[in-house]
Amino acid sequence: MIPEHKAAGGFGRRAVLRGAVIGALAAAPLPFAQRLTASTKAPAKAATAAAACVDLPLVGGAEFPIGLFWPPPPYQTTVDRYGDIRTAGFNFLITGNYLDDQAIIRQTLAIAEQVGLKVLVSSDPDVQNLARRFTISDDRSVPMSITTADARNLLTNALNQYRGFESFAGFSLGDEPPEGQFPSLGKAFAIAREQAATYTPYSNLVPGSGDGYRAMVRSFVDTCHPPMLSYDRYPLLTSGEDPQYFENWAIIRSEALRANIPSWVFVQSVEFNGHRFPTQAELLWNINTSLAYGCKGIQYFTYWQPDPARGENFGRALTTLDGTHTPLYDAAKTINTSWLRPVGAELKPLVSELAVHANHTPPTGTVGFTPDSYLTGVAGSPAVLGRFRPTDAAGTRWLLIANRQSGTSATTTVSLSQATVKKVSVFDPATRAYTAQADRTKIVATLAPGAAALYRLDV
């Protein structure tokens, strides 16, 4: 039986494409520990690990990571196709879609290098053996196991294939791994940190909700010590909005803050069983609500439409199966280049301090607005408010006001503390500059469906 937190999103989408679910499902998760608040201090070990990650590809640097999964297949792996990806505002991709042997992966890296894309390699056969197909154990009685020395050799062999490419960013060590694989996966992460210290080790988690899911996420973080916490959840259902979407984000945000690592998410950019084809406003809503919850990396699922043999009735994505751009390609290009790239760069170095729902009933597992020393009231349309601080917790704050609705325009008024906030400036993504408002007592944000606005609050 699939545990509740895995049944919520299934191994489905990504695991069906990857074929990455191997072996028996994990036993029931550990008992749930006390819920954390945003002020919880990260363990010293996590803080040390996070400090070591600041210079890793994609995780470090000023550029906000905008990536994709399910790139063009081998016969469409060309400079023109990858140029389209770069033109649409993406800066990295994760291999898949039959880019499954070292020769085509090297070709992918060479082409990605020409257009300025980074690549996380997920489909290398040595990496799959290291992190997915076998258990790393020096106990030779463990079935389907390899020794630690074997695992190191596999990682070194894979690294030697790709380390000469500037586009090579690191390895994906597992997509939606079952909880029972965490101990072995943790060893794979440790070997990657040891053997490939300047590259990014990556893994992406299943969606979920509730105490069991939180315990599973915490187990992954504490066992594997990843440089970021990535997960997927696709909230645009044919029946409406996924009711557990925001609860899932609240758990991921809390656990990422506890570990002092950034959180990444996959947004929905494909139609498949039970999930509709997004509009531009819905894609923007998916991105902006994620930013409000402190997201530091946006990944699209998928870029290329998966072929029918993959199952799940995958339909249009940013391209169709033959590579024709859909309206969502142009939508993603507009969003990525004119909004996400500049706003993401502003938010990337900041710490999520607050993620609350205003002017509507907070979804299960989330927090409603309450006044504090910066924000004294909220009125008008439903909104999701994300507030951010510098890493040194200095007085300046940033406020992202995201329209809670993807189908309706919004006007939300946020009242500010005159005792604390001395100056209010709104960010212009076109110029990447802030313009001071004449009125420092309140913000009136008029937002298109799914849109958001970013403000700086100086004290």
Side-chain angles (χ1 to χ4, degrees), residues 14-32:
R14 302 170 52 74
V16 165
L17 291 183
R18 180 88 67 192
V21 180
I22 300 170
L25 295 176
L30 297 174
F32 171 63

Side-chain angles (χ1 to χ4, degrees), residues 137-154:
S137 175
D138 291 322
D139 179 354
R140 304 313 297 136
S141 68
V142 174
M144 294 290 289
S145 65
I146 57 175
T147 66
T148 304
D150 290 336
R152 288 195 180 103
N153 287 336
L154 288 171

Side-chain angles (χ1 to χ4, degrees), residues 17-19 69-74 77 95-106 108 121-128 132-133 162 310:
L17 291 183
R18 180 88 67 192
F69 179 58
W70 219 242
T77 301
T95 60
N97 202 2
Y98 308 108
L99 304 177
D100 291 339
D101 63 66
Q102 293 177 340
I104 189 59
I105 293 172
R106 288 195 301 271
T108 298
V121 173
S122 70
S123 45
D124 175 88
D126 286 334
V127 172
Q128 290 187 348
R132 301 172 201 165
R133 294 194 177 112
Y162 314 124
R310 309 306 309 195

